[in-house]
Amino acid sequence: MEDQGQYAKLFNEMDSQALITLGLILVSTILLIIVSQRGLNWVANRLHGQVRFRVFALVPLTRLLILIAALAIAVPIIIEPSLRNMVTLLGAIGLAIGFALKDYVSSLIAGVVSAVELPYRPGDWVNIEGTYGEVKHVGMRTVEVQTPDDDLVAVPHLKLWDTAIYNANNGGTSLQCVASFYLHPEHEAGWVRKALRDVALTSAYLKFGEPIIVVAEEKPWGTHYRIRAYPVDPRQQFLFITDLTVRGKAVLSAAGIQPALLPPDAALDARGAAS
Amino acid sequence: MAQGSTNAALSPWNVVALDTFQTPERTQASQWRRSWRAATTWMIGKEASERQAKQESELRALPEVKLAHVAPPIDWMPATERLKQALKGYEDAPVVLFISPPYGGHSTVVSQWAAQQDIPCLTVPTLKELVDGSLAWVEDATQLKRWAIPALEYHFLRHTNGLQSVRELLERALSGRLGQSVMGCDSWTYAYLQHAVGLEGVPVLTLQGLEGEQLAHYFSQAAGECPTVYSTRTGKSILTSDSDQKEAYKELQRLAAHCRGHLGIAWHYWRERLREPAEDSDSSDNNGHKCSDKEDSDTSQELWLLDALAEAELPTDTGDLATLLLHTLLIHGGLEDHALKHVLPFSDHESLNARFALARRGILSSQQGRWQVAPLSYASVRQLLESRNYLVDPL
């Protein structure tokens, strides 16, 4: 009975005015979050370049600030915010969470961390455990990634703790693309290197001011060339790679350069079997 | 003497090194204003976003004869003379480039200079020669000690073969093996070739950007007797400088900033946006009040300049296809329809449909079969491309 009385002392007396205030805070918070999230996403989707990513980065941060502000207003209405009261309350909540909602709350906390550390933000192209795509929305518990196949994948923020997050453009407009060419070993490598560089230089999608690198690597089945270059907009990456591939093939074919006779996997498999 | 130095300061024909080129004052502010105008037009409509002292409905376009008198075609000969003087400082350079933006007159200036000096100009290669990577037209230069190219943008194609010949030409010319040459070049082509071929160390000249006062001086001089021109936006005279000078040329400073100081573009605005009062309209504004500056003026000589910013702007949601087409046209100094398939990653009909759509909206115009960004759309197209991280010209 005495314990019950002590816990009851934690909370303020809740009259109808306090309940109405809490209700108003709750409704306002929800409305503000919806309006800010939709508004910022709407604006960002109509922008281009670096500004787009800056506005996108504001989406989770704004939500976090609104939530903190709402909690800061609501908590003193519910409890007397003394140190003793806070420690007691947080201890009780922590105990409950530790047993029942560990992963859920861990994702929520990781969501807060993601809003501050920004390992991904809307507009980024990320790879999380093999899921590659554009970040469409950073929610409280999950990040929504749209894959090139138009699937929307919800990945819990929890992954932040123990999984590598590959971010291809990291809030910027520079995203490196790679187009591969597998050629028969007998060809003039210097000419191919120049020709492939020209293929990149003459692409309509090319972003100037970023390096264009042609990498050649000798393999048992031939030579593997890669053009590494950047498109003007990260969203053009697949069109850019396609353009490089189509025009690169045409140039190499016109010069009489043969592709590698065996697919790389088959060649490597054959080699592995032989050894 | 003082008059002479004033005239020199107001001359629009200052040929300068590219490093010293400066856009006019308030160019950045002009870009913000354009964005603001686009936003307000989207929110409250075009009519409401344009506060006008004189309504466009009270005005009419000038007859062609009067227009030819008030805004005659630009005579580029003074620029040619200034280029000739400037080239004296580069007598040892194997190649000198003279660049200007679209409609900036580089081709005419270099042609006139070459004719004055009795220097041959290289023939423009055909599209087939460019697509095949033919070097035949480059060989023509090997026979000459001095030669010129009025428009380098017509000597290349953004195509793996189309780059070969211009690269060969520039490599030979820059090494001094082809004697001495002067090349006129579109500023967008220059920006592209600088990355694709490399033009480090080549002397590059251009016309200095004009301020509003220089534009006022040029338009007054070109018209012979100075007409009285009012701004439909403010209702104030824009060519005279009776009052505080800065205030008097504010409207033309807006125009200069909008055009980034390029006379060729500004001239098109001047020509396209000049109006005279319609016969059935009196000289009062829509509230029935006389405009302050024009109470005593002769209405037969009265002309009005429509707001330069009240042009069809490109919507912010312009798609990739249109954006790539616009950029491609600028880099090539305009292209014919049948060349588009060689430089764009789209099918023929996609490219043509995009070209048709842009031409219908007045964003593109055709000159001798070549489609290019229309002069009145140039500023907004450049701003759009810059905002989307496309390569833009240095002017």
Side-chain angles (χ1 to χ4, degrees):
Chain A
M1 280 297 281
E2 202 173 307
D3 285 347
Q4 272 186 355
Q6 277 181 346
Y7 282 121
K9 279 182 193 170
L10 279 174
F11 298 96
N12 291 330
E13 202 170 311
M14 301 296 282
D15 55 9
S16 59
Q17 192 183 350
L19 287 173
I20 291 170
T21 311
L22 283 174
L24 282 174
I25 291 170
L26 183 68
V27 172
S28 308
T29 306
I30 292 169
L31 279 177
L32 269 176
I33 288 177
I34 291 173
V35 169
S36 67
Q37 306 298 282
R38 292 198 176 170
L40 286 170
N41 274 314
W42 186 88
V43 170
N45 280 320
R46 275 151 188 81
L47 295 172
H48 294 267
Q50 195 61 45
V51 188
R52 177 171 183 265
F53 291 97
R54 286 192 183 146
V55 176
F56 268 141
L58 291 175
V59 175
L61 205 60
T62 312
R63 188 181 53 231
L64 182 64
L65 290 176
I66 293 170
L67 281 174
I68 289 172
L71 282 174
I73 298 168
V75 167
I77 297 172
I78 301 168
I79 61 168
E80 183 64 36
S82 66
L83 178 66
R84 187 182 162 197
N85 286 352
M86 293 303 286
V87 169
T88 311
L89 189 71
L90 290 176
I93 292 171
L95 204 63
I97 287 168
F99 283 107
L101 298 164
K102 183 169 69 68
D103 286 351
Y104 190 90
V105 174
S106 183
S107 278
L108 291 180
I109 293 168
V112 174
V113 172
S114 78
V116 178
E117 289 186 359
L118 299 175
Y120 39 65
R121 67 218 91 180
D124 282 359
W125 285 80
V126 295
N127 188 340
I128 306 173
E129 286 193 329
T131 301
Y132 181 69
E134 184 181 7
V135 174
K136 283 292 175 187
H137 178 65
V138 180
M140 287 174 64
R141 191 186 67 82
T142 59
V143 52
E144 289 176 3
V145 178
Q146 188 166 32
T147 68
D149 295 332
D150 206 22
D151 294 327
L152 194 65
V153 182
V155 182
H157 292 304
L158 189 62
K159 298 284 179 194
L160 265 184
W161 303 136
D162 56 4
T163 305
I165 312 287
Y166 295 86
N167 193 325
N169 57 318
N170 196 26
T173 55
S174 295
L175 184 147
Q176 191 183 78
C177 292
V178 182
S180 287
F181 299 89
Y182 304 96
L183 303 184
H184 189 277
E186 287 183 10
H187 61 263
E188 195 186 328
W191 184 90
V192 171
R193 190 181 169 197
K194 282 182 192 165
L196 291 180
R197 186 177 152 75
D198 278 355
V199 167
L201 274 172
T202 51
S203 173
Y205 296 108
L206 180 72
K207 182 180 187 182
F208 287 89
E210 299 288 348
I212 301 169
I213 299 167
V214 178
V215 181
E217 192 178 358
E218 202 59 18
K219 296 279 186 183
W221 39 263
T223 312
H224 180 193
Y225 286 89
R226 293 185 196 91
I227 305 177
R228 296 183 184 275
Y230 295 77
V232 172
D233 190 301
R235 285 174 290 184
Q236 296 169 340
Q237 59 184 294
F238 301 107
L239 293 170
F240 182 47
I241 293 171
T242 306
D243 183 49
L244 293 177
T245 306
V246 169
R247 291 186 311 107
K249 281 186 71 146
V251 167
L252 296 171
S253 172
I257 295 169
Q258 299 293 316
L261 294 176
L262 282 173
D265 292 341
L268 289 171
D269 287 349
R271 192 175 169 223
S275 61
Chain B
M1 190 70 188
Q3 183 66 36
S5 62
T6 308
N7 281 340
L10 292 176
S11 166
W13 311 116
N14 291 326
V15 173
V16 295
L18 177 60
D19 299 344
T20 55
F21 173 83
Q22 286 181 322
T23 49
E25 285 177 30
R26 303 185 200 166
T27 300
Q28 187 59 45
S30 174
Q31 292 185 356
W32 284 111
R33 201 182 297 126
R34 206 152 45 229
S35 302
W36 176 247
R37 173 66 72 90
T40 51
T41 301
W42 179 78
M43 282 190 285
I44 59 176
K46 192 173 170 64
E47 293 292 322
S49 69
E50 296 165 4
R51 284 183 292 121
Q52 302 287 320
K54 183 88 170 174
Q55 292 305 310
E56 197 170 340
S57 57
E58 298 170 41
L59 304 167
R60 66 177 182 190
L62 269 64
E64 200 59 41
V65 178
K66 191 170 183 180
L67 199 57
H69 176 68
V70 176
I74 298 173
D75 175 13
W76 294 101
M77 193 49 87
T80 307
E81 292 298 329
R82 298 300 283 266
L83 176 66
K84 190 168 82 178
Q85 288 169 20
L87 286 173
K88 287 177 184 166
Y90 299 96
E91 282 175 349
D92 296 333
V95 177
V96 178
L97 285 172
F98 178 66
I99 68 170
S100 74
Y103 311 100
H106 60 270
S107 172
T108 312
V109 169
V110 174
S111 297
Q112 287 176 347
W113 174 83
Q116 271 185 359
Q117 307 291 311
D118 203 18
I119 288 175
C121 294
L122 293 196
T123 51
V124 177
T126 62
L127 178 66
K128 188 174 184 315
E129 280 180 301
L130 288 173
V131 171
D132 293 345
S134 165
L135 298 178
W137 65 272
V138 178
E139 298 301 329
D140 292 348
T142 57
Q143 316 297 325
L144 305 166
K145 285 187 177 173
R146 294 183 78 196
W147 48 276
I149 290 181
L152 187 60
E153 59 269 25
Y154 300 155
H155 292 250
F156 99 104
L157 207 59
R158 191 183 60 191
H159 179 272
T160 44
N161 286 341
L163 265 187
Q164 303 312 320
S165 49
V166 75
R167 181 178 279 155
E168 184 71 25
L169 174 83
L170 287 169
E171 278 175 6
R172 287 194 205 175
L174 291 173
S175 69
R177 281 180 284 157
L178 298 181
Q180 285 188 309
S181 61
V182 173
M183 300 183 194
C185 185
D186 188 285
S187 53
W188 289 77
T189 307
Y190 169 75
Y192 178 75
L193 291 178
Q194 211 181 9
H195 282 93
V197 180
L199 294 168
E200 288 81 13
V202 181
V204 184
L205 302 174
T206 187
L207 283 171
Q208 184 60 281
L210 304 186
E211 300 289 343
E213 191 177 358
Q214 287 171 293
L215 274 185
H217 181 72
Y218 174 80
F219 290 140
S220 304
Q221 297 281 315
E225 61 181 89
C226 184
T228 313
V229 183
Y230 301 99
S231 161
T232 57
R233 198 175 64 86
T234 61
K236 292 182 176 174
S237 173
I238 58 175
L239 286 181
T240 52
S241 57
D242 300 336
S243 57
D244 175 32
Q245 281 211 338
K246 270 196 165 177
E247 198 57 34
Y249 295 122
K250 195 175 171 186
E251 195 64 19
L252 281 178
Q253 188 63 41
R254 270 169 65 101
L255 178 62
H258 183 65
C259 302
R260 300 181 64 82
H262 302 314
L263 178 63
I265 307 275
W267 176 81
H268 277 93
Y269 271 99
W270 185 250
R271 193 178 157 80
E272 297 289 326
R273 311 295 286 165
L274 269 182
R275 297 288 185 274
E276 62 181 8
E279 276 173 4
D280 55 345
S281 81
D282 55 21
S283 57
S284 58
D285 65 17
N286 50 347
N287 294 322
H289 301 301
K290 291 250 179 196
C291 294
S292 56
D293 279 14
K294 56 188 250 341
E295 286 180 357
D296 303 323
S297 65
D298 174 10
T299 51
S300 65
Q301 287 293 312
E302 171 188 316
L303 297 177
W304 292 81
L305 184 71
L306 301 181
D307 187 2
L309 298 189
E311 270 310 306
E313 297 285 327
L314 272 170
T316 49
D317 58 351
T318 302
D320 269 357
L321 207 157
T323 317
L324 289 169
L325 174 60
L326 290 167
H327 190 239
T328 301
L329 292 179
L330 283 168
I331 276 181
H332 290 89
L335 279 173
E336 293 165 355
D337 278 341
H338 58 274
L340 293 178
K341 64 183 174 195
H342 297 292
V343 288
L344 283 171
F346 309 116
S347 64
D348 263 2
H349 74 273
E350 280 178 317
S351 305
L352 281 177
N353 279 342
R355 207 275 290 150
F356 290 148
L358 289 170
R360 270 196 303 273
R361 284 157 54 191
I363 307 290
L364 300 181
S365 61
S366 170
Q367 285 189 329
Q368 295 160 349
R370 279 180 175 261
W371 288 94
Q372 171 64 299
V373 173
L376 271 56
S377 303
Y378 178 74
S380 59
V381 169
R382 191 186 188 282
Q383 189 174 348
L384 178 92
L385 293 173
E386 191 171 24
S387 72
R388 296 198 183 181
N389 295 320
Y390 283 87
L391 178 72
V392 293
D393 74 335
L395 299 180

